[in-house]
């Protein structure tokens, strides 16, 4: 062992006046060493440069909106923390395939920690559920079921600078008696697994030797409530499972199986083109799926479903298993949050076009838990007139309107939609509708004529559907805004502020519809794509395979899903009750 002593003389290597000696003793051994020092002068301390404090971003939820936001966010800019009651992302469009065993549940999920690992940085994740938001103090109250704190309730507080609410929604039961107790939902992976086990239990129960045919029919009557995309796809998937696989395993009872689809509206798939709706209803009729439109379910008991129809009155139908798929509802803690911020009379959280929760600082909401409250033109008509009237003449020329028209299009997209719907070529046609003649740019409009020209524009305001496609695009947009937040302060890219000065920091969110699919069973799918392009048949089914395989979140899930489809083609679907 060797010992050495050194005289520290400052960072420059020279002894400075007034600086006391500092003794540094180094103890070194053949395998390592110990370094210690003592400083008798406080003025020799070397201060480390202070790094700028990063803003804390809390993300609630690991669904389509939250996960897409995390994947696109530059996590080096923020202190990111994720809170969700489930530690994975699920590819929900394939949940109906999980119910029939076409796809295995683990094939459509990706652990959230694996996604965060790929991002790098110190991103924290807590498997817990938020049960209260405190916007005034910028804190959220969370509860974990995995462990308990000193109080034994597993609750903890988390503060935030920015809060991204992406918790999705729950199934809307419309307060129908007996639904929660007796029906299955199809929102989560666990729901799909329960449905699959329930289907097999119904067949096994109907196979017991001591049951009569009436009991067997009851057990093999599968009811789907809701004629939207999820309900229709599940009914089609169940029909394929029964006819292609279970009919071979249960030949003595397969003729007793009945699938009913109940819809309160006059048609199923009302959000699709009428050609798809008609094809789906005709195909289900040929397949033997009983489609009951115009029926409203009013009660669900353990053994029967009661529904109403204006022509027939109340009808009670026995069933073996029921799946409820009738729309979405708001989660309880979001309802309480809405009451706090003055949105208690709304169905879901209201945000502006930049996805900021109204009347709430630093809170954003994306996905099914929120909707964009598009600003109406007539609410701001006086301010729009003021901004356009640059010469303060009290009237607007066609040229003055054209100068701000691009900003108006961006801020109020309903203006452009209205012009297209009325087949107007531009602002001149719009002015002509109010003035009668606008061929010359010198034609002027006063405020009342300007109001008249735009009075019907707000009829074109569109509300976005609650789909994975919308949530994903919102997550991507919001991440881009967060990544450019600092630059946008100095170089705003948005439209002119109608109420205020300057420009908005960012362009408003605009949804781009990429099309939608409706699998109808029998290797046939309907697709409604942009440009009013409708495709129905076997070729569209292969397009569906391609799109859904491509949209998987990782190569692991992509390979698993494709292998599941291949396995089903070769060996059929698995019928075990696992």
């Amino acid at each position: 062992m060797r010992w050495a002593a050194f005289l520290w003389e400052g960072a420059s290597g020279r002894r400075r006046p007034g600086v006391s000696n500092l003794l540094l003793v180094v103890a070194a051994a053949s395998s390592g060493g110990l370094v210690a020092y003592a400083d008798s002068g406080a003025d020799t301390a070397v201060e480390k440069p202070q790094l700028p404090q990063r803003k804390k971003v809390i993300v609630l939820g690991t669904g389509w909106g939250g996960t897409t936001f995390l994947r696109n966010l530059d996590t080096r800019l923020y202190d990111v923390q994720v809170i969700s009651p489930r530690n994975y992302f699920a590819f929900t469009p394939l949940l109906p395939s999980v119910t029939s065993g076409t796809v295995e549940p683990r094939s459509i999920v990706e652990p959230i920690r694996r996604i965060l690992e790929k991002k790098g940085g110190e991103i924290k994740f807590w498997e817990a559920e938020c049960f209260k938001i405190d916007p005034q103090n910028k804190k959220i109250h969370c509860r974990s079921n995995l462990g308990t704190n000193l109080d034994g309730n597993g609750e903890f507080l988390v503060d935030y600078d920015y809060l991204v609410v992406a918790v999705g929604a729950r199934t809307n039961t419309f307060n129908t008696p007996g639904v929660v107790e007796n029906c299955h939902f199809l929102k989560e992976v666990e729901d799909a697994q329960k449905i699959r086990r329930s289907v097999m239990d119904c067949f096994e129960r109907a196979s017991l030797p001591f049951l009569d045919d009436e009991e067997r029919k009851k057990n093999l009557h599968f009811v789907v409530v809701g004629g939207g995309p999820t309900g229709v796809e599940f009914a089609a998937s169940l029909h394929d499972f029964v006819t292609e696989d279970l009919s071979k395993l249960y030949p003595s009872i397969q003729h007793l199986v009945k699938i009913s689809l109940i819809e309160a509206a006059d048609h199923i798939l009302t959000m699709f083109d009428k050609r798809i709706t008609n094809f789906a209803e005709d195909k289900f009729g040929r397949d033997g799926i009983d489609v009951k439109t115009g029926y409203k379910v009013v009660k669900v008991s353990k053994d029967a479903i009661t529904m109403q129809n204006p022509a027939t009155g109340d009808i009670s139908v026995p069933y073996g298993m029921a799946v409820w798929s009738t729309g979405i509802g708001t989660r309880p803690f979001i309802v309480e949050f809405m009451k706090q911020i003055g949105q208690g009379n709304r169905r879901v959280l209201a945000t502006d076009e930049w996805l900021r929760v109204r009347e709430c600082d630093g809170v954003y909401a994306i996905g099914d838990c929120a909707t964009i409250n598009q600003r109406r033109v007539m609410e701001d008509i006086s301010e729009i007139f003021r901004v356009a009237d640059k010469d303060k003449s009290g009237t607007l020329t066609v040229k003055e309107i054209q100068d701000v028209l691009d900003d108006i299009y961006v801020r109020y997209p309903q203006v452009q939609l209205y012009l297209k719907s009325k087949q107007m070529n531009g602002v001149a046609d719009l002015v002509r509708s109010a003035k009668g003649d606008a061929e010359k740019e010198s034609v002027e409009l006063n405020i009342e004529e300007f109001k008249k020209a735009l009075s019907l524009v707000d009829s074109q305001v569109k509300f976005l559907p609650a789909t994975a496609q919308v949530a994903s695009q919102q997550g991507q947009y919001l991440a881009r805004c967060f990544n450019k937040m600092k630059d946008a302060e100095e170089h705003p890219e948005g439209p002119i502020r109608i109420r205020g000065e300057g420009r908005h920091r960012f362009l408003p969110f605009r949804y781009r519809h990429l099309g939608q699919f409706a699998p109808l069973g029998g290797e046939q799918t309907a697709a409604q794509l942009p440009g009013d392009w409708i495709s129905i048949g076997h070729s569209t089914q292969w397009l569906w395979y391609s799109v859904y395989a491509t949209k998987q979140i990782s190569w692991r899930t992509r390979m698993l899903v494709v292998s599941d489809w291949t396995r089903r083609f070769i060996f059929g679907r698995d019928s075990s009750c696992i």
Side-chain angles (χ1 to χ4, degrees), residues 526-541:
Q528 183 172 336
L529 302 177
D532 196 32
W533 183 46
I534 303 298
S535 177
I536 304 173
H538 296 285
S539 60
T540 312
Q541 177 72 24

Side-chain angles (χ1 to χ4, degrees), residues 134-316:
D134 183 0
Q136 292 183 343
N137 299 311
K138 289 198 169 185
K139 295 181 183 295
I140 58 173
H141 298 250
C142 302
R143 182 187 298 116
S144 173
N145 295 325
L146 300 179
T148 57
N149 54 18
L150 295 177
D151 296 329
N153 55 16
E155 296 182 2
F156 58 96
L157 278 173
V158 180
D159 61 333
Y160 66 85
D161 294 304
Y162 300 112
L163 177 64
V164 179
V165 183
V167 295
R170 61 190 178 101
T171 303
N172 194 349
T173 65
F174 300 98
N175 297 320
T176 306
V179 172
V180 175
E181 296 83 2
N182 301 300
C183 291
H184 292 279
F185 303 128
L186 192 50
K187 291 287 291 180
E188 305 288 347
V189 174
E190 294 84 359
D191 297 334
Q193 292 175 303
K194 290 178 182 178
I195 291 173
R196 186 171 178 275
R197 285 193 293 267
S198 183
V199 170
M200 297 312 306
D201 288 342
C202 288
F203 272 86
E204 293 296 343
R205 193 181 302 116
S207 300
L208 294 174
F210 52 80
L211 297 182
D212 57 23
D213 281 351
E214 287 301 318
E215 282 293 319
R216 289 191 173 94
K217 286 182 180 179
K218 170 184 172 297
N219 281 291
L220 294 176
H221 184 200
F222 302 97
V223 178
V224 184
V225 183
T230 301
V232 167
E233 185 175 352
F234 169 70
S237 181
L238 179 60
H239 177 266
D240 286 351
F241 189 26
V242 171
T243 56
E244 297 174 9
D245 299 276
L246 298 183
S247 61
K248 301 173 185 177
L249 302 177
Y250 302 89
S252 61
I253 59 173
Q254 58 92 17
H255 65 285
L256 301 175
V257 177
K258 181 180 180 180
I259 301 174
S260 297
L261 180 63
I262 303 173
E263 169 57 41
D266 295 332
H267 296 280
I268 62 174
L269 298 177
T270 54
M271 67 292 300
F272 282 81
D273 187 274
K274 290 183 178 180
R275 289 168 287 180
I276 293 178
T277 297
N278 295 334
F279 180 86
E281 292 177 347
D282 292 342
K283 184 181 185 305
F284 277 13
R286 294 192 302 269
D287 291 342
I289 298 176
D290 184 17
V291 178
K292 293 183 178 295
T293 56
Y295 283 86
K296 178 184 178 183
V297 175
V298 294
K299 182 182 178 182
V300 181
S301 66
K302 184 179 179 181
D303 300 314
I305 289 180
T306 303
M307 48 188 159
Q308 286 181 347
N309 180 274
T312 60
D314 288 1
I315 300 175
S316 186

Side-chain angles (χ1 to χ4, degrees), residues 73 155 186 199 252 311 331 343 345 372 415 425 453 470-471 479 481:
L73 180 67
E155 296 182 2
L186 192 50
V199 170
S252 61
R331 298 190 183 277
Q343 296 188 16
N345 60 341
I372 296 176
V415 175
N425 294 324
V470 172
C481 292

Side-chain angles (χ1 to χ4, degrees), residues 35-53:
V35 180
Y37 67 88
D39 188 359
S40 60
D43 57 343
T44 61
V46 179
E47 294 185 1
K48 294 183 179 179
Q50 291 294 325
L51 296 175
Q53 188 73 21

Side-chain angles (χ1 to χ4, degrees), residues 372-416:
I372 296 176
N373 191 11
Q374 175 62 50
R375 191 81 181 179
R376 300 297 201 269
V377 169
M378 296 310 293
E379 293 177 6
D380 299 334
I381 191 70
S382 298
E383 296 298 321
I384 296 172
F385 188 91
R386 177 187 62 81
V387 171
D389 186 18
K390 295 181 179 179
D391 59 3
K392 309 300 180 183
S393 63
T395 58
L396 295 181
T397 65
V398 173
K399 184 178 185 309
E400 284 179 320
I401 298 176
Q402 287 175 333
D403 288 342
V404 297
L405 193 61
D406 288 340
D407 289 300
I408 292 176
Y409 282 165
V410 173
R411 187 68 180 85
Y412 308 95
Q414 61 265 41
V415 175
Q416 197 167 21

